[in-house]
Amino acid sequence: EPEVTQTPSHQVTQMGQEVILRCVPISNHLYFYWYRQILGQKVEFLVSFYNNEISEKSEIFDDQFSVERPDGSNFTLKIRSTKLEDSAMYFCASREWGQETQYFGPGTRLLVL
Amino acid sequence: KQEVTQIPAALSVPEGENLVLNCSFTDSAIYNLQWFRQDPGKGLTSLLLIQSSQREQTSGRLNASLDKSSGRSTLYIAASQPGDSATYLCAVPPASNTGKLIFGQGTTLQVKP
């Protein structure tokens, strides 16, 4: 069964460094999402992406964050200058056109020191 | 602003017991409600999606019901097994149905052998 994949599974970085989190959505899906879950807290929406542009972003998704679909398969989340509070599990999700179920990847655990 | 709440936060039951997990939402103008399972340190697995026009949806031992007018959904798990131990999350899109999901904090279920 097709699934969303994410790399790396874990990343440790120093505060102020840039990180890129990678996702490969399910191949025929057209809607892409990033969510994050700080340890012990709710899963929070960050951004949605459709037709090569951001369709919605939350107040968390400030100028330090950007998303890109550099080719036909990858979907990336970049954090330009990481802060301690960016430490969280980051989930990518995708959805097929005309369907409402979102399929989530296994997540990338980001630790900012 | 849509808020999603899940009660109880944690539940421990003996194997074989039937159980109900609760989810409530503040804005009844939802398009659907999705139940997910999250294993420790892992991603989210979609269990059931129930449309706003539906009253319930079943998959195997799982049955989700939806009462839009009262802002409630329940996930019924029949004949629980130790393998059902996980955190169960419910999520709804906002009334604008922009595609993002708003999550509850989850119910952590432990099924004891």
Side-chain angles (χ1 to χ4, degrees), chain A residues 37 41-42, chain B residues 4-7 9 87-89 103-107:
Chain A
Q37 186 178 33
Q41 297 188 21
K42 291 184 179 184
Chain B
V4 181
T5 304
Q6 292 184 246
I7 294 172
T87 296
Y88 291 81
L89 303 170
F103 283 82
Q105 71 273 39
T107 294

Side-chain angles (χ1 to χ4, degrees), chain B residues 25-79:
Chain B
F25 44 93
T26 53
D27 186 345
S28 62
I30 62 168
Y31 285 83
N32 59 64
L33 184 143
Q34 200 165 351
W35 281 95
F36 292 89
R37 170 186 171 134
Q38 184 177 28
D39 291 284
K42 305 286 187 182
L44 283 65
T45 302
S46 179
L47 297 173
L48 290 164
L49 184 145
I50 182 165
Q51 299 287 356
S52 61
S53 58
Q54 296 176 307
R55 296 285 293 183
E56 60 179 59
Q57 188 72 258
T58 298
S59 175
R61 293 183 293 108
L62 304 179
N63 176 278
S65 69
L66 176 63
D67 184 344
K68 271 184 59 174
S69 60
S70 67
R72 292 180 184 173
S73 175
T74 61
L75 180 67
Y76 174 83
I77 302 177

